[in-house]
Amino acid sequence: MNPSSADAAAGRTMHPRAWLGFLLLGGALTAVASVITGRLPRMEVLCWGLGQGASALALIAGIRHHGLARSRPWRLMRLVSVVAWIATTLGWGVGGVLLGSSELLELYRIGTLTAYGLSLAALMSLNLQTSGSRWAGLLDGGIISVGAAMPLWTFLIAPAIDHGGRLSTAFVFALVPPVIDLFAFGVITRMALDSNRAPWLNLLSVSYLALFVADGAYLLDQVAGRSPGPLTTAGWLGWSVLLGAAVLHPSMADAGRIRPAAVTGRNRVLIFLVLALFSPAVSIAGWSLRNDVSSHSDLTVTVLTLLLAVLLVLRLSVVAGIAETQAADLREALHQQDVLQRSLAHRATHDPLTGLGNRTLLGEVLQATPTAPAPALLLLDLDGFKDVNDTYGHPVGDELLTVVARRLRTLTPDGQILARLGGDEFAVVLPGADLEQALAAAEEVLAAVREPYLIDGRELYVTTSIGVLADSAAPTASDALRDADLALYAAKAAGKNQIAVFDYTLRAERLHHAEIAAGLRQALAQGEFSLAYQPVVNLASGRIYAVEALLRWLPAGGRAVPPDVFIPVAEDTGLIVEIGRWALERACADA
């Protein structure tokens, strides 16, 4: 069975409330061990062996169940539980209590200190994995630890040293664990500042709080020269039980994905402020209450105060570094956003194929140009471009458009606007140009476009038709484009490769054209068409051998429209197809 399938099998057999059952049973065992402390040594050893052994097994099962077997912090924590169990059961229980062996009791002390060191390393590794900055978590833990250490030194550790008179091995063994607990407590508190702390983290915090209380009580027992009491037993065994319950808790499934704590926060700033101000103040107040303050107490608190200041400065430098990094990232993001906005604005107002302005930009330019004098406008359309696309394909047509754009660009100096309106239609805005200057520019464009094009090994020829709008005060950009388009239409109608200048008769003709087109659309539906039959006579015999059907249009309530007026309009609009179908059917019916 591979590890993943083994973890899945473990997940199926572990009840979601297993942690609660373990906590209740372990709590009961801890209570029993606390009551019989110092009274029934053998039973006490059995309770210790069962309690810490069960905790080690719980850590092994929980870490495997939640898929944390490859996580360094939890591998270390699993080793901590095993080392603590072996050291306590063999060193203290079997060696010290049952056999009275000082060598095995020394093994218990070494094993216990090793477990403390491994536990601190596991918490530091876990903090490094969850903190936003690599060293921010350790600095936070150090600040909290040093801040809490000053009053503890003043009121607990220094009096104990003064009372003992000398530092014995047993006293050092009792003194080291609370010091380690302080830093561990600081590291866990730092992780608990995260607003989304998980239940397993709460259980872990309470377990190390119980361990600190037990180690503090043990230190006081050593100073007083008495055996460890129930409080020490309850705290030590409680640490093991709470640690096992934390690892068995279902929330441990997300232990590998703890959200990094914020760099700053009100709770954290408040804690740092309290530690920086009140820890030295409380320690100084403790000195004033004691008349037998030794020099080492004064020196120790001074050193701790300096260390707290250094840690706070380092923490501020980390925050400043992160702030500078975030500011640089923000500046880069703003720069990228500005570049993106410029790119989007350019794309919105420019043609992607030729890079020229598009209809939107042309409208903005015409609208922003002062009305007196109005700019001249050239509107040109390539003649025969559709044939190039149909014959050689759109890639060749696109290349032709880019070459035309380059030629036109050489003819438009600074101050003149060149735009592609779509397809093969271009426009040139000539600010301040009169009709004569506009016609001269149009002649240059006509000659430039007429030159041959060498594209993809082929020599192509196209011409252009140009509509000119000059010396005209069009009220809006759309009006200017409409008038120039009328001139372009006139140039096309004149035979292409021509220049046509807008005048108001073109607008009237176009309006008349539109009115006729609209009338033609209604003529079929309203029955306004009729056929006149003209006989075809054989001149030799004088006999009629055929008739010619002639289309007539008499609008309702109006005058007849001559065929030479409405037939070209019908052909332009495509209505000639429907009209021709109607004429054929009617002529056949009449015949």
Side-chain angles (χ1 to χ4, degrees), residues 469-475 482-483 486 501-511:
L469 175 67
D471 298 335
S472 175
R482 178 203 61 200
D483 293 343
L486 290 175
V501 180
F502 169 79
D503 60 47
Y504 291 99
T505 60
L506 293 177
R507 187 183 300 170
E509 291 174 0
R510 193 62 180 176
L511 179 61

Side-chain angles (χ1 to χ4, degrees), residues 172 289 314 405 485 509 566 591:
V172 171
L289 295 176
L314 292 176
D485 191 61
E509 291 174 0
F566 72 82

Side-chain angles (χ1 to χ4, degrees), residues 306-325:
L306 292 175
L307 180 58
L308 179 61
V310 170
L311 291 174
L312 286 171
V313 170
L314 292 176
R315 187 63 177 90
L316 288 176
S317 67
V318 171
V319 174
I322 294 175
E324 290 177 0
T325 302

Side-chain angles (χ1 to χ4, degrees), residues 378-389:
L378 307 184
L379 200 61
L380 54 136
D381 185 275
L382 300 182
D383 304 324
F385 178 75
K386 185 177 182 301
D387 294 336
V388 174
N389 265 345

Side-chain angles (χ1 to χ4, degrees), residues 287-571:
W287 295 350
S288 63
L289 295 176
R290 294 176 54 202
N291 297 323
D292 56 343
V293 179
S294 59
S295 59
H296 66 77
S297 297
D298 190 359
L299 177 62
T300 301
V301 174
T302 302
V303 171
L304 289 176
T305 303
L306 292 175
L307 180 58
L308 179 61
V310 170
L311 291 174
L312 286 171
V313 170
L314 292 176
R315 187 63 177 90
L316 288 176
S317 67
V318 171
V319 174
I322 294 175
E324 290 177 0
T325 302
Q326 291 179 344
D329 293 341
L330 179 60
R331 286 194 298 270
E332 179 64 22
L334 291 175
H335 174 70
Q336 294 295 335
Q337 184 179 8
D338 182 62
V339 171
L340 179 60
Q341 287 179 344
R342 291 176 181 271
S343 175
L344 292 176
H346 185 272
R347 293 181 182 181
T349 57
H350 287 77
D351 173 49
L353 177 63
T354 62
L356 302 179
N358 59 13
R359 185 179 294 271
T360 302
L361 180 62
L362 179 65
E364 293 175 357
V365 170
L366 292 175
Q367 199 66 37
T369 305
T371 57
L377 176 61
L378 307 184
L379 200 61
L380 54 136
D381 185 275
L382 300 182
D383 304 324
F385 178 75
K386 185 177 182 301
D387 294 336
V388 174
N389 265 345
D390 295 342
T391 304
Y392 302 108
H394 288 278
V396 174
D398 290 344
E399 180 65 22
L400 176 61
L401 290 174
T402 58
V403 176
V404 170
R406 285 198 295 268
R407 291 186 183 181
L408 295 177
R409 193 179 284 115
T410 61
L411 300 177
T412 52
D414 294 340
Q416 298 181 358
I417 304 300
L418 175 63
R420 179 188 174 211
L421 306 187
D424 58 340
E425 191 174 14
F426 296 84
V428 181
V429 180
L430 309 173
D434 57 17
L435 178 58
E436 183 179 352
Q437 293 171 330
L439 287 174
E443 290 288 352
E444 292 181 357
V445 170
L446 207 66
V449 174
R450 203 164 37 221
E451 294 294 325
Y453 299 85
L454 185 61
I455 297 176
D456 197 19
R458 302 180 181 90
E459 192 173 75
L460 305 178
Y461 294 88
V462 293
T463 58
T464 184
S465 300
I466 304 176
V468 179
L469 175 67
D471 298 335
S472 175
T476 64
S478 60
D479 291 336
L481 285 172
R482 178 203 61 200
D483 293 343
D485 191 61
L486 290 175
L488 174 60
Y489 181 82
K492 289 280 189 182
K496 302 180 180 179
N497 193 26
Q498 301 289 331
I499 299 173
V501 180
F502 169 79
D503 60 47
Y504 291 99
T505 60
L506 293 177
R507 187 183 300 170
E509 291 174 0
R510 193 62 180 176
L511 179 61
H512 183 58
H513 183 282
E515 292 175 349
I516 292 176
L520 287 175
R521 298 181 189 279
Q522 302 293 329
L524 278 175
Q526 297 178 2
E528 296 177 355
F529 287 115
S530 63
L531 292 179
Y533 298 103
Q534 176 174 282
V536 180
V537 180
N538 187 332
L539 295 179
S541 63
R543 297 179 57 187
I544 299 175
Y545 67 91
V547 292
E548 181 181 2
L550 303 177
L551 183 66
R552 297 293 182 260
W553 176 27
L554 180 62
R559 298 173 59 185
V561 181
D564 61 341
V565 173
F566 72 82
I567 293 296
V569 177
E571 292 174 345

Side-chain angles (χ1 to χ4, degrees), residues 221-243:
D221 290 338
Q222 287 293 311
V223 171
R226 58 176 178 263
S227 300
L231 183 60
T232 302
T233 300
W236 280 343
L237 265 181
W239 168 75
S240 298
V241 172
L242 287 167
L243 186 60

